[in-house]
Amino acid sequence: MGLTIVSHAAGIYSQNLKIAKNPCGEENRGNGEKLSKIPHSLVAGGFSGGFGLAGVPVAAISVRLPVSFTVLATDPSSSARRGELALPHGTVATPMFMPVGTQGSVKTLHPAELEELGAQIILGNTYHLWLRPGHELIRGMGGLHDFTTWQKPMLTDSGGFQVWSLAKLRKITEEGVRFQNHLDGSKMLLTPELSMDIQAALGADIAMLFDECPPYPCDEAYAAKSLGLTSRWARRCKDWIVTHQPRSGTGRQRHFGIVQGSVFADLREQSARELVELDFDGYAIGGVSVGEPEHEMFRAIDNAVPFLPYDKPRYAMGLGTPPQILEMIGRGVDLFDCVMPTRVARHGVAFTLDGPLHIKNLSHAQDPRPVCESAHPHVARFSRAYLRHLFRAGEILALRLLSFHNLHFFLRLVADAREAISAGSFPTFKDDFIQRYTQPPLP
RNA sequence: GGGUAGAUGCCCGAGUGGCUAAAGGGGGCAGACUGUAAAUCUGCUAGCGAAAGCUUACGUUGGUUCGAAUCCAUCUCUACCCA
């Protein structure tokens, strides 16, 4: 059976190469060469996974319409589910945390280290890579995968978030967003179509739609207006995709819509329904972690998830802390990304089972213990005292070690969550983790 | 032995009569960080006090003045130059 399926998969893939652009959105690449680059795990992983919801073998469906997301197990007492997302460059186990590599690099870490950590998919950013080095250059270098040498799945954010985070330098219009870019101040226009085109050039496995991320707080009128824009932009993205990337083949680029609507339940529902109507490969919940209180963030998830298809991956953008990730897994979210583990690492904070630990603090000056009992051997070999010393001395190794450690912590967290879902023990796992993580330290 | 310059808070260093418990760095101690303009940013850093405030502080001692880190004298020390 396995052999037959593999040949199906290869057939679909090669056919796809002939009739359409390949997953990187490139034309006329030698298909023999590209075929040899398909990771074996994709061919096996994407088509080996058990049965779909209705008990139909996945492989049987995939000949007609490739299934890229399969729910493998669910938690009976929550919305948590374990799944498998098949993408052109490999299969991603969900729930999964995606390290952020904005400029084509997960800061301080080598791709081989990311693999060692068990990272299965990383992010890149349209806005930043567009400005520098430029998407045409990356296209010419064979796409973001070849350019960076990361050969596992990638997701590119659309630049929508930069519309929010660079708010002082931009103006939003129906057409798109006029930026004064932060590098040299020159004026640029990013539109939904251009974002899609850039992302096609970058060639990530998943491209995000171009959205507007409203600030917090914002009144309902603004949120509704913003949502209207996001929805009209989604339609334009869809039109662009249909025109430029005909839907076929497992190797094609996937596209995720982004649910907006701020803190307003009816807007979240409306946003989700409008996006689902357009039919994307997955759905993200955006406009969270923009300064709102945590309960609003959870509400935003709860207000969107019920209107998203069960058989498509759900992605909470830009989140979150370890407890937040577990809470959201319990709410049915499959994918996460967050700069927190890598950013705070560079600022001297290590995640531990007992909560965040400021390694620079005086209290660790002579502490011989490793940073965390669950640390990776590469980090566990060092004492807290030594890590503190490295930070105080300004050694680059300090930034690398904590970045490595924090990503290990996050990736292990979601790996443990997946195990727990399969084992039927997710609620206990979640509660135990959060209780220990949040309890105040002993005096 | 003579001359010149200088001695400021943990360190460097600004300040030449009241707005100075003393700029600015550094160091130290904390904190923030959630689709990365971030190896960044913020706060504190003489003592006591929750605070108002009080008490000590600009090498020493003494003086001028309503008031001195700032002016004068003295001593001590440092650097450089001359013998």
Side-chain angles (χ1 to χ4, degrees):
Chain A
M1 181 175 173
L3 281 175
T4 311
I5 293 169
V6 167
S7 73
H8 268 304
I12 290 167
Y13 194 87
S14 63
Q15 187 183 26
N16 180 40
L17 275 180
K18 285 174 196 160
I19 62 173
K21 290 182 180 182
N22 75 5
C24 297
E26 304 148 346
E27 293 166 314
N28 301 326
R29 304 261 320 193
N31 64 2
E33 179 199 335
K34 266 297 172 193
L35 270 177
S36 67
K37 284 192 171 182
I38 305 173
H40 201 70
S41 61
L42 163 68
V43 178
F47 292 85
S48 64
F51 294 82
L53 270 184
V56 180
V58 170
I61 309 173
S62 61
V63 174
R64 221 175 62 246
L65 183 68
V67 167
S68 51
F69 184 66
T70 310
V71 175
L72 300 174
T74 56
D75 172 44
S77 67
S78 74
S79 298
R81 68 250 190 100
R82 179 175 184 171
E84 206 169 60
L85 178 60
L87 296 168
H89 288 82
T91 298
V92 174
T94 65
M96 178 52 74
F97 179 81
M98 307 184 283
V100 180
T102 303
Q103 311 208 54
S105 154
V106 177
K107 294 187 192 300
T108 78
L109 296 179
H110 191 286
E113 292 173 316
L114 292 172
E115 289 207 43
E116 186 169 6
L117 287 168
Q120 296 182 11
I121 174 168
I122 64 172
L123 261 67
N125 185 274
T126 297
Y127 171 77
H128 291 282
L129 294 169
W130 175 43
L131 294 191
R132 183 170 56 193
H135 61 297
E136 292 302 346
L137 183 145
I138 292 174
R139 195 202 302 267
M141 295 298 289
L144 199 50
H145 283 93
D146 285 356
F147 190 51
T148 63
T149 78
W150 174 260
Q151 292 300 337
K152 287 176 182 284
M154 260 199 246
L155 179 152
T156 42
D157 188 23
S158 62
F161 186 72
Q162 277 64 43
V163 175
W164 173 77
S165 66
L166 302 173
K168 286 173 285 262
L169 304 171
R170 53 76 170 153
K171 184 179 177 190
I172 302 167
T173 66
E174 185 66 33
E175 184 185 16
V177 181
R178 290 189 185 279
F179 282 96
Q180 207 168 355
N181 84 48
H182 69 280
L183 295 181
D184 64 5
S186 61
K187 291 178 179 136
M188 307 178 85
L189 172 67
L190 187 56
T191 64
E193 292 80 9
L194 179 55
S195 177
M196 290 295 105
D197 185 50
I198 294 168
Q199 293 188 75
L202 299 176
D205 301 66
I206 300 170
M208 300 304 299
L209 296 207
F210 189 62
D211 64 331
E212 202 235 327
C213 179
Y216 179 88
C218 82
D219 59 49
E220 184 155 8
Y222 181 91
K225 197 176 153 205
S226 167
L227 175 56
L229 190 61
T230 290
S231 294
R232 292 192 295 281
W233 284 356
R235 159 59 67 183
R236 283 164 59 187
C237 288
K238 182 70 181 184
D239 291 344
W240 189 94
I241 294 161
V242 168
T243 309
H244 297 82
Q245 295 187 319
R247 184 189 187 103
S248 66
T250 55
R252 71 185 173 80
Q253 187 171 50
R254 310 297 202 274
H255 300 93
F256 282 22
I258 304 174
V259 176
Q260 290 291 353
S262 188
V263 298
F264 307 101
D266 51 336
L267 294 182
R268 287 284 176 183
E269 175 181 347
Q270 179 193 338
S271 179
R273 289 187 186 282
E274 287 173 355
L275 288 169
V276 171
E277 181 75 18
L278 289 170
D279 186 24
F280 293 104
D281 300 296
Y283 299 90
I285 296 152
V288 281
S289 70
V290 291
E292 78 282 12
E294 188 177 75
H295 72 272
E296 290 287 6
M297 190 175 86
F298 291 139
R299 274 190 55 224
I301 305 288
D302 291 337
N303 289 334
V305 166
F307 307 102
L308 298 175
Y310 180 85
D311 60 349
K312 296 283 175 71
R314 304 159 186 158
Y315 162 27
M317 303 190 78
L319 301 177
T321 65
Q324 286 170 354
I325 285 176
L326 293 184
E327 291 290 356
M328 288 183 288
I329 288 173
R331 288 166 156 81
V333 178
D334 307 299
L335 293 167
F336 305 90
D337 80 283
C338 193
V339 305
M340 185 179 283
T342 44
R343 178 182 290 167
V344 303
R346 297 192 300 279
H347 301 158
V349 176
F351 287 93
T352 79
L353 294 170
D354 298 302
L357 182 138
H358 288 67
I359 199 68
K360 292 188 282 191
N361 285 11
L362 180 61
S363 53
H364 307 120
Q366 300 185 68
D367 195 332
R369 293 174 297 165
V371 65
C372 175
E373 66 196 54
S374 69
H376 187 283
H378 285 355
V379 177
R381 60 192 283 169
F382 301 115
S383 64
R384 294 182 184 185
Y386 179 67
L387 292 171
R388 174 173 190 266
H389 159 70
L390 290 180
F391 263 99
R392 284 156 47 86
E395 285 293 332
I396 295 169
L397 182 60
L399 313 185
R400 280 175 42 66
L401 287 176
L402 280 206
S403 295
F404 187 91
H405 168 73
N406 284 348
L407 283 183
H408 177 257
F409 189 87
F410 274 60
L411 287 163
R412 179 165 169 168
L413 177 71
V414 290
D416 288 349
R418 290 193 299 270
E419 288 290 315
I421 293 167
S422 290
S425 58
F426 178 74
T428 313
F429 166 73
K430 185 188 88 168
D431 293 345
D432 289 351
F433 179 93
I434 292 175
Q435 203 210 339
R436 178 171 172 187
Y437 187 91
T438 55
Q439 78 181 353
L442 296 170

